[in-house]
C-alpha cells in the first residue's frame, strides 16, 4: 500500500480500525530502520550529475539520547478524488503495540556506541489518545520518580494505577523513556 509515496506496512484490521493482532515496539523499530528504496516519483536529486536518481535510504540513530520519545502512528490520512478535487479524510488506528515498561534495549539501533555498551531505557510516561479523529481525549500515565508508582492523569483527576500492565494499551500515543546510567539505574532528573 502506498501513501504519499512512503511505503506503509500492511496490518489486518477489522471494521472498527482495531488490528487483528498486535505488534511489539521491537517489530516497529526494525521496520522503521530497514533499508527503503525510494519510488521514481520520490527520486533523489544528484547535484553532481544534475539528475534525479532512484535511491535507497535508511533511518539510523548515531547517538543515544538521555531521553527517548517515541511517537506511535495513530492517525492515517486517506485521499479520495471526487470530480478532480482531492479530499482528505483521517482514520484513527487502534493497533495494539506492546512496549516494555523497563529495559527497552536500543543497543542494536545506535551506531555510535562501544561494541559492548548496552543502551537500556525505562518508561516513565505515556500519552494516551482515546476517541476518534473528529474528537478525542488525551490522558497521561506517569511514574513518580521517588515512589516508583504509576498514576493516570485525566484532566483534574489523578488516579493510582494498580497494575502496570494497564499502561500498555492500544490508546498509547507517545512513549517517554529515560536512559539508564552505567550502574543500571534510571537517571531521574
Amino acid at each position: 500500500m502506498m501513501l504519499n509515496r512512503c511505503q506503509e506496512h500492511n496490518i489486518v484490521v477489522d471494521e472498527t480500525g482495531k488490528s487483528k493482532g498486535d505488534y511489539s515496539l521491537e517489530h516497529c523499530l526494525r521496520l522503521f530502520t530497514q533499508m527503503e528504496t525510494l519510488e521514481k516519483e520520490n527520486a533523489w536529486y544528484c547535484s553532481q550529475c544534475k539528475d534525479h536518481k532512484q535511491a535507497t535510504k535508511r533511518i539510523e540513530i548515531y547517538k543515544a539520547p538521555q531521553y527517548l520519545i517515541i511517537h506511535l502512528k495513530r492517525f492515517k490520512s486517506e485521499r479520495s478524488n471526487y470530480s478532480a478535487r482531492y479530499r482528505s479524510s483521517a482514520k484513527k488506528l487502534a493497533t495494539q503495540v506492546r512496549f516494555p515498561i523497563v529495559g527497552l534495549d536500543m543497543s542494536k539501533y545506535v551506531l555510535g556506541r562501544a561494541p559492548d555498551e548496552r543502551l537500556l531505557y525505562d518508561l516513565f510516561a505515556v500519552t494516551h489518545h482515546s476517541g476518534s479523529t473528529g474528537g478525542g481525549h488525551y490522558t497521561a500515565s506517569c511514574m513518580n520518580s521517588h515512589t516508583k508508582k504509576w498514576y493516570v492523569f485525566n484532566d483534574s483527576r489523578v488516579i493510582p494505577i494498580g497494575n502496570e500492565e494497564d499502561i500498555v494499551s492500544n490508546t498509547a500515543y507517545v512513549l517517554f523513556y529515560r536512559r539508564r546510567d552505567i550502574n543500571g539505574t534510571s537517571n531521574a532528573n
Side-chain angles (χ1 to χ4, degrees):
M1 175 187 309
M2 300 301 291
L3 176 67
N4 296 336
R5 297 184 191 93
C6 294
Q7 182 177 351
E8 285 194 0
H9 298 277
N10 291 321
I11 56 171
V12 180
V13 295
D14 65 17
E15 59 279 351
T16 66
K18 291 186 179 178
S19 66
K20 293 185 177 179
D22 64 350
Y23 299 87
S24 68
L25 184 57
E26 174 80 18
H27 176 79
C28 296
L29 288 167
R30 276 195 314 271
L31 290 174
F32 185 70
T33 58
Q34 76 183 17
M35 186 75 69
E36 179 181 352
T37 301
L38 299 174
E39 298 294 320
K40 288 183 180 181
E41 299 84 27
N42 197 23
W44 171 73
Y45 181 75
C46 176
S47 59
Q48 288 183 338
C49 68
K50 310 287 188 221
D51 194 17
H52 286 87
K53 302 287 184 185
Q54 194 169 5
T56 58
K57 71 172 187 170
R58 168 180 267 152
I59 295 176
E60 296 176 322
I61 302 168
Y62 287 93
K63 184 177 178 188
Q66 180 67 38
Y67 295 95
L68 178 65
I69 301 171
I70 299 175
H71 174 256
L72 301 175
K73 182 176 180 176
R74 288 291 179 211
F75 302 98
K76 178 180 178 182
S77 296
E78 295 179 338
R79 285 185 168 185
S80 56
N81 188 359
Y82 296 108
S83 64
R85 286 182 79 183
Y86 283 103
R87 293 184 186 256
S88 181
S89 65
K91 180 172 133 181
K92 170 80 185 273
L93 301 175
T95 305
Q96 175 69 34
V97 177
R98 290 176 280 107
F99 51 89
I101 295 173
V102 294
L104 171 63
D105 190 351
M106 293 295 293
S107 301
K108 62 180 134 189
Y109 301 107
V110 177
L111 301 178
R113 64 174 182 83
D116 59 344
E117 182 183 18
R118 295 218 34 218
L119 302 173
L120 297 177
Y121 287 81
D122 296 322
L123 189 73
F124 67 92
V126 179
T127 301
H128 298 270
H129 179 271
S130 57
S132 66
T133 57
H137 185 67
Y138 291 92
T139 60
S141 300
C142 303
M143 184 184 68
N144 181 312
S145 62
H146 299 291
T147 65
K148 306 296 184 208
K149 292 184 180 177
W150 284 85
Y151 296 88
V152 172
F153 293 80
N154 185 352
D155 294 334
S156 62
R157 295 183 351 202
V158 178
I159 305 164
I161 296 176
N163 184 359
E164 282 187 5
E165 299 305 315
D166 294 339
I167 298 164
V168 181
S169 74
N170 67 348
T171 63
Y173 188 39
V174 183
L175 311 175
F176 298 85
Y177 283 93
R178 182 181 298 115
R179 184 176 171 189
R180 290 185 191 171
D181 64 15
I182 293 173
N183 299 323
T185 58
S186 208
N187 293 320
N189 292 345

